[in-house]
Amino acid sequence: MTKILRDEDLVGGALMPIAIDALEAAFLARASNRLISPPRHLVSFPDRGNLVFTVGGLMGEKPIAGFRVYDTFNGAEHTQIVAVWSADSARLEGVILGERLGSLRTGAIGGLAVRHLSAPDARNVGIIGSGAQARTQLAAAAAVRNLDRARVYSRDETNRKVFAKEMQHALGLDVEPVDSASKAVDDADIVICATTSQTPVINSGDLNPGVHVTTVGPKTLQGYELGLDVADAAAVIATDSPEQARAYASPFFLTGSGNDDRIADLADIIAGKAAGRRSSEEITLFCSVGLAGTEVVVASAILRSPALDLRGPSG
């Protein structure tokens, strides 16, 4: 039976740990060349938009293969489809429709960065942004660190108050809305930038020694949400896909900064092939760009999970 799941099926706190564990295994596989993850492929429909494909999978004892496709026909609002096959039996395991899987995947990758780059005793989070990505990034950080407090800032006062209320309820964590980015990151051990800003919302002078920073939003030379001096201050700079960063249509925001050749693959850090944090005083930076194939890995973990009632209708 082929499972078909939608956004309403992907709810509950059990999903994030499943996604993080699945991606930990996928990043270790990537470090040993067992993750299939070519850069995304765009098919243009003139005057209408694009279909954007990522194809990938995981080799090993239970190999999987699949693809994600989403459209840009209606600006920021788009439809997404992820399909997963068993690569050894050629069986279509399932299809997941909607936006939530993508947010879960990106949040879980951010959680891996927090697990491997932040200080082990990190307790306080500062969040810039109050949308879906900010939510999943905070949920992932809470899944890998024993957090005490989070502070959130976004330009819309109502949005940040709603975010604080919802995430405090969801995570059992003290979440406080504040009226500036600098207040959000004050005393933070982990900083998450998940905005749409084309100009920096924080700079290195806003940060404490030992902080880990994740940037999820814009990261091209045309616009970026994080001050370039944060990269200057960082002892470690990592990304989930150096290939994807190099494939940006507009050059990656660190291009020509003197820091672009310092960017490590998060997979190599997880596998111990590259250095991560070496002291409690070091600043670390993670640039989330989207590793192809990982949507398929997360989808497969959800579809195969015996802990969740995700039978779905038959295809």
Side-chain angles (χ1 to χ4, degrees):
M1 178 184 294
T2 299
K3 299 174 184 177
I4 302 175
L5 304 179
R6 296 172 175 82
D7 279 347
E8 56 266 29
D9 299 306
L10 305 186
V11 295
L15 289 176
M16 185 59 76
I18 290 172
I20 291 173
D21 287 347
L23 288 176
E24 178 101 19
F27 274 73
L28 288 171
R30 172 175 168 81
S32 58
N33 298 315
R34 291 184 293 108
L35 181 71
I36 309 302
S37 56
R40 70 192 64 175
H41 178 65
L42 182 149
V43 179
S44 181
F45 292 78
D47 303 321
R48 292 295 182 267
N50 308 304
L51 286 177
V52 183
F53 291 83
T54 57
V55 180
L58 192 62
M59 305 309 294
E61 186 177 339
K62 295 182 179 180
I64 57 172
F67 68 85
R68 175 187 68 151
V69 59
Y70 64 89
D71 73 272
T72 64
F73 299 142
N74 192 25
E77 295 184 10
H78 55 256
T79 302
Q80 178 171 280
I81 301 170
V82 177
V84 182
W85 280 264
S86 169
D88 53 0
S89 67
R91 183 175 65 88
L92 178 62
E93 293 190 355
V95 176
I96 299 182
L97 310 175
E99 301 300 305
R100 192 160 289 167
L101 179 66
S103 293
L104 179 67
R105 181 283 308 249
T106 304
I109 292 176
L112 282 181
V114 169
R115 174 183 281 172
H116 291 278
L117 292 175
S118 74
D121 60 351
R123 294 290 182 267
N124 301 322
V125 181
I127 308 160
I128 317 297
S130 58
Q133 287 297 334
R135 284 169 163 79
T136 55
Q137 293 289 328
L138 178 57
V144 300
R145 289 289 182 262
N146 184 20
L147 301 180
D148 292 332
R149 187 199 71 212
R151 290 177 177 157
V152 59
Y153 170 74
S154 66
R155 290 175 296 179
D156 189 298
E157 181 179 2
T158 299
N159 287 349
R160 63 184 184 249
K161 286 182 176 179
V162 169
F163 177 97
K165 182 177 180 180
E166 288 182 357
M167 296 308 293
Q168 182 162 306
H169 175 74
L171 301 176
L173 180 69
D174 179 20
V175 184
E176 177 189 359
V178 294
D179 60 7
S180 71
S182 60
K183 288 181 181 178
V185 303
D186 184 42
D187 292 332
D189 306 308
I190 299 166
V191 169
I192 297 166
C193 285
T195 76
T196 58
S197 178
Q198 298 288 321
T199 58
V201 295
I202 56 170
N203 292 281
S204 63
D206 301 310
L207 303 173
N208 296 311
V211 69
H212 168 72
V213 181
T214 289
T215 172
V216 183
K219 288 178 290 294
T220 74
L221 286 180
Q222 292 181 340
Y224 42 90
E225 65 175 356
L226 201 66
L228 295 178
D229 57 355
V230 175
D232 294 336
V236 179
I237 305 172
T239 185
D240 45 340
S241 178
E243 301 93 338
Q244 189 58 53
R246 290 192 293 267
Y248 272 24
S250 172
F252 191 61
F253 80 122
L254 295 180
T255 301
S257 68
N259 291 308
D260 43 342
D261 61 351
R262 295 203 296 128
I263 302 172
D265 192 323
L266 180 63
D268 288 338
I269 293 174
I270 293 173
K273 293 183 173 182
R277 172 181 294 274
R278 287 165 291 195
S279 80
S280 60
E281 296 298 303
E282 287 187 338
I283 291 174
T284 57
L285 171 61
F286 176 65
C287 304
S288 177
V289 299
L291 176 59
T294 49
E295 304 93 347
V296 173
V297 171
V298 174
S300 178
I302 292 171
L303 291 162
R304 292 179 175 184
S305 174
L308 299 177
D309 183 15
L310 295 175
R311 291 183 298 273
S314 61

